[in-house]
Amino acid sequence: MTISEIKVRVEDIFRGYEDDGEDGIFAYNGKLTIRPPYQREFIYNLKEQEAVIHTILKGFPLNIMYWILTKGTVKKDNENHIMISDDAEFEVLDGQQRTLSVMKFLSHKLQIHWDGKAYYKDSLPDDLYSKLMNYEFMIYICEGTTSEKLDWFEIVNVAGEELTAQELRNSVYTGPWLSDAKLHFSKSSCAAKGLSEKYITGAPLRQELLEKALIGICELKGYKEIKEYMADHVSCEDADELWQYFQNVIHWVETIFPLYYPDMKGRNWCHLYNKYHTNSYNSNVMKNEVKRLHEDDEIQEYKGIYEYLLSKDEDPFAARLLNLRTFSEKDKTSAYSKQGGICAICKRPFSYAEMAGDHIKPWSKGGLTTPENCQMLCKECNSKKSDMY
Ligand SMILES: [Zn+2]
């Protein structure tokens, strides 16, 4: 991988500046993508934006920014001058917020305070205005293979500006697959959000929905890391496979659990689909079970109901997902006293600390967490009990 250091004047970057909202933000005569389409909204607050302009007006250095070369070449000539080809295009990897603060000020969308007065760009004294326009951004331009770039960006980003892991991956694996994936998953009004809003949390513009879908399909198809899947699909014509997968997940949830409850939102549905979609379930039975369990006071974790119902036939300990009520110290002490410190099963004596409160009639058979249903067992007998729940 090669890294070239260049300096670009603010005036040159501002040339051709265009804020197309969700369709992206561009500058530097269209050669620079400051923010790619369907990525997060501006996040610096006014004070932070103003601080960037102050830094420039005081002539202090801003930290180095990083641009990725997405097209064309950057070379050094014999005298070590940087030569940028005419067709070169860049994307800001690190420095998006700082660049946007300056662009916002230059397009009259930001007011700053200087020596006790408020200024928009137009009212700025000539000397300050020319200082701003002639200020040079220090930029590292990186060229290399996608995996080299990603490895390196992951390190750089530790000290840089707040790009999420998925935004970083998106900046490297650009191509038709990503464009199509973003259409489905990354617009604030995208189809994936409309489809899954009731079930899956995540902000499309932060790439959280795309990331969740990718985590899901990677688990299903045996990819260890998202970047491996993206590398495999980077030149695919479209992201139909991922989109189809995501729709399957949601439709499966709607089929298995036909009645919607608000606690269905935020469950790890992709993972549950991957694990259980080949099993068959009767949706009528499921509907009644979901209702019955929601009315069960012994359950303290209603959001565990769905995974419990999906897994209970194969996992005897599935009820732990429900965080069932346990006996109070008072009930346990009372039972311990009544039993005279003797385990109700093995009949051997134990200290209070060596014992656990147990439901005589288990939850699955309708047993409640009441003093009459409490017995003390030694830990060994308790763990051997087959109908623990
Ligand atoms: Zn015992």
Side-chain angles (χ1 to χ4, degrees), residues 343 345-348 350 377-378 381:
C343 169
I345 292 182
C346 68
K347 309 293 180 198
R348 287 184 295 156
F350 290 93
L377 299 182
C378 75
C381 288

